């Protein structure tokens, strides 16, 4: 009896969550393809009196399933909060807009008044934004307070559509006597670039109600940063501003410093990895010193800041009695500069506020003061922006619409990824951390069979049978890129196998491709791959045939080759 009660309680907690009127199916990993697959969910939604919130994240929802859920929501007039992040994994891009349209139409029909709309980690691109465009312009969103679209791959086009939708919503809601007063906006890792950021800045300036803005990793350079800075001046209640990992350069940093003078309620400023440089850091320091009485966190890490500018920042925070953290790591202070900064903070009894300086880049190679060399700074700014534009063009080519599978949106390439894929090593792979599979997946164009085969071999080259951490990391990354490849309808699996056999020196290529030096890790990884559900079983026989040939390229891998042959025979027999 006690066991039954505990089970019922656990089930109830899993579904109802902690917020009032909330029904949760979060992270249940359910594949919801059709109406039948959501029958129980639909009934629970229908039976839930006063439903205000629904969590669907961590499942994958198809068009027909979305329609069935939407039908149940049509009668929920008290509905307020949509927690719908990460609910389209593995879906075709073409499936997502109609699914979103169905859900949005239901909320409008119900007369719901939303306060939270969270669609983060749904890589739906610009088409996904079109799927919520009508909803965002409707009366259902006049009351919206939080809009979370992190890691959705919106791109410039999606950013412009979103900005126009918010502007129209504000216009219509103002006419109705209750202007849209959005408080939280989250859109990191969306490749908005300057045009997307500038369009959104117009919407932000119009609303003037924002309290939190999170837009890290969007490829925004100083023109977009300047537009955002202008908009932020009109949002005087702003508490958190996170623009981490965009490229301010001095021009953008100085513009943002001017904006900070208007933001007396700001508590958290994250301009880390934004290349603010010494002049930008000094301008920000001046704004901090003149105001920002309740500042709690200031992040200016990895910005090419030198000792003099860092000390100016330290002096600027001396009277900020609510400051909890100052991050100046990864700059160009040198040993003496780091010591001077620590001493300065210690003298102000703020040593515990200063973050680690373990990643300091050391003294600049050129002793000339960056502040006094405007021409060099402008040249550097142009070089940085040109490099960024080249990366963005490459990423844009990778982005496709229609039948591309939905996966987390790619971001500007972390240097660790480029380094690993150029010169693989076990240590580099492990240093990529828990998100290594996602990071590697984002950098491989799986529409290209040859590139996919090459990436597989680069990852597999560091395989170590005796090191479980490395082995698991290799297999995790291999699974990520190959599952994505084989799940893509346009991917030709036979071409992949052919390219792999060419690179392994088992067949000759008309293009005279130079084979790699085969190492056991290639075959160990391949042994794992052929046993996975994503690997087409019709290719097993092809691999078995070539592995059975007396090839010199495989002579150094006797044990690994024997294991692979045995596994191939078993898999073929079972299929």
């Amino acid at each position: 009896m006690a066991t039954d009660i505990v089970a019922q309680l656990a089930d109830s907690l899993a579904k109802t969550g902690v917020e009032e009127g909330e029904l949760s199916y979060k992270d249940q990993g359910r594949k919801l393809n059709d109406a039948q697959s959501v029958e129980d969910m639909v009934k629970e939604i229908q039976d839930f009196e006063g439903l205000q919130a629904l969590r669907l994240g961590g499942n994958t929802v198809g068009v027909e399933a979305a329609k069935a859920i939407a039908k149940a929501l049509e009668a929920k007039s008290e509905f307020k909060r949509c927690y719908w992040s990460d609910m389209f994994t593995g879906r075709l891009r073409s499936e997502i807009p109609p699914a979103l349209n169905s859900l949005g139409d239901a909320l409008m029909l119900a007369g719901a008044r939303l306060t939270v709309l969270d669609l983060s980690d749904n890589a739906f691109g610009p088409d996904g934004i079109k799927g919520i465009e009508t909803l965002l312009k409707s009366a259902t969103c006049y009351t919206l307070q939080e809009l979370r679209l992190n890691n959705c791959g919106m791109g410039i086009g999606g950013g412009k559509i979103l900005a126009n939708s918010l502007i129209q919503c504000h216009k219509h809601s103002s006419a109705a006597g209750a202007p849209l007063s959005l408080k939280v906006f989250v859109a990191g890792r969306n490749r908005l670039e300057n045009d997307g950021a500038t369009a959104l800045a117009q919407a932000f300036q119009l609303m003037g109600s924002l309290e939190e803005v999170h837009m890290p990793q969007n490829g925004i350079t100083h023109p977009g940063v300047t537009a955002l800075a202008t908009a932020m001046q009109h949002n005087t209640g702003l508490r958190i501003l996170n623009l981490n990992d965009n490229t301010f350069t001095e021009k953008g940093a100085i513009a943002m410093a001017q904006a900070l003078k208007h933001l007396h309620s700001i508590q958290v400023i994250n301009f880390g990895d934004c290349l603010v440089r010494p002049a930008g850091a000094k301008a920000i320091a001046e704004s901090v010193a003149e105001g920002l009485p309740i500042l709690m966190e200031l992040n200016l890490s990895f910005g090419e800041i030198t000792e003099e500018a860092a000390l100016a920042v330290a002096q600027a925070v001396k009277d900020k009695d609510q400051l909890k953290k100052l991050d100046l790591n990864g700059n160009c202070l040198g040993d003496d500069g780091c010591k001077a900064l620590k001493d300065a903070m210690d003298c102000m009894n703020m040593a515990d506020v200063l973050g680690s300086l373990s990643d300091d880049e050391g003294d600049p190679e050129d002793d000339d003061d960056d502040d006094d060399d405007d021409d060099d700074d402008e040249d550097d700014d142009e070089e940085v922006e040109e490099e960024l534009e080249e990366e963005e063009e490459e990423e844009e080519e990778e982005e496709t619409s229609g039948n591309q599978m939905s996966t987390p949106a790619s971001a500007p390439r972390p240097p660790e990824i480029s380094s690993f894929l150029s010169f693989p090593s076990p240590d580099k792979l492990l240093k990529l951390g828990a998100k290594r599979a996602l990071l590697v997946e984002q950098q491989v164009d799986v529409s290209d069979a040859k590139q996919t085969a090459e990436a597989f071999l680069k990852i597999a080259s560091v395989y170590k049978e005796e090191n479980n951490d490395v082995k698991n990391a290799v297999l995790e990354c291999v699974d990520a890129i190959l599952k994505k490849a084989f799940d893509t309808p346009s991917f030709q699996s036979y071409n992949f196998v052919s390219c792999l056999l060419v690179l392994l020196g088992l067949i000759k290529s008309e293009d005279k491709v130079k084979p790699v030096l085969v190492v056991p890790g290639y075959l160990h990884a391949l042994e794992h791959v052929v046993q996975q559900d994503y690997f087409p079983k019709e290719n097993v026989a092809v691999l078995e045939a070539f592995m059975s040939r007396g090839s010199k390229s495989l002579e150094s891998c006797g044990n690994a080759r024997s294991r692979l042959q045995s596994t191939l025979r078993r898999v073929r027999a079972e299929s």
Side-chain angles (χ1 to χ4, degrees), residues 63-218:
V63 176
E64 296 305 316
K67 287 181 180 178
I69 294 170
K71 189 69 177 173
L73 289 173
E74 288 179 1
K76 302 300 175 181
S77 59
E78 298 177 45
F79 196 81
K80 295 179 180 179
R81 302 184 298 277
C82 305
Y83 298 109
W84 295 347
S85 62
D86 187 23
M87 69 173 197
F88 293 117
T89 299
R91 296 291 169 184
L92 297 176
R93 285 271 178 92
S94 57
E95 291 182 86
I96 300 175
L100 290 173
N101 276 323
S102 296
L103 292 166
D105 289 348
L107 297 177
M108 290 186 285
L109 185 62
R113 292 294 181 265
L114 293 184
T115 57
V116 179
L117 178 57
D118 184 356
L119 288 166
S120 297
D121 300 316
N122 289 308
F124 44 45
D127 289 343
I129 298 299
K130 291 178 184 177
I132 58 170
E133 184 178 7
T134 302
L135 173 65
L136 287 173
K137 294 178 181 178
S138 74
T140 295
C141 287
Y142 288 0
T143 50
L144 195 63
Q145 295 182 10
E146 297 182 20
L147 180 58
R148 299 177 183 272
L149 296 166
N150 200 58
N151 194 28
C152 288
M154 283 190 281
I156 295 171
K160 288 182 175 180
I161 295 169
L162 176 61
N164 181 61
S165 299
L166 292 174
I167 290 170
Q168 292 301 313
C169 184
H170 185 271
K171 177 182 176 181
H172 298 151
S173 59
S174 297
L180 171 66
S181 298
L182 192 68
K183 289 182 170 56
V184 178
F185 180 83
V186 182
R189 301 186 69 206
N190 270 291
R191 291 186 286 189
L192 293 168
E193 303 174 29
N194 290 333
D195 289 348
T198 300
L200 285 165
Q202 294 174 5
F204 297 163
Q205 183 168 330
L206 188 64
M207 291 185 292
S209 56
L210 289 166
E211 296 180 5
E212 294 185 27
V213 174
H214 303 264
M215 297 175 66
Q217 289 188 336
N218 269 298

Side-chain angles (χ1 to χ4, degrees), residues 16 34 50 109 198 233 323 404 465 497 508 512 524 562:
T16 59
D34 49 31
L109 185 62
T198 300
Q233 295 182 33
L323 192 71
Q404 183 174 338
E465 183 68 23
V497 173
K508 292 182 178 180
K512 297 182 180 179
H524 285 306
S562 297

Side-chain angles (χ1 to χ4, degrees), residues 417-435:
I417 286 292
S418 299
S419 176
F420 170 70
L421 291 176
S422 299
F423 305 101
S425 74
D427 186 52
K428 287 180 182 177
L429 181 62
L430 293 178
K431 282 183 178 178
L432 293 178
K435 294 185 177 180

Side-chain angles (χ1 to χ4, degrees), residues 25-44:
Y25 300 92
K26 185 181 177 182
D27 294 333
Q28 293 186 6
R30 297 170 65 172
K31 193 166 185 178
L32 308 171
N33 294 324
D34 49 31
Q36 185 177 359
S37 65
V38 293
E39 281 182 351
D40 58 332
M41 188 181 295
V42 166
K43 187 175 188 309
E44 287 167 349

Side-chain angles (χ1 to χ4, degrees), residues 236-248:
T236 55
L238 195 68
R239 295 183 297 103
I240 299 174
L241 181 57
N242 175 9
L243 295 174
N244 186 282
D245 200 6
N246 290 290
T247 309
F248 284 30

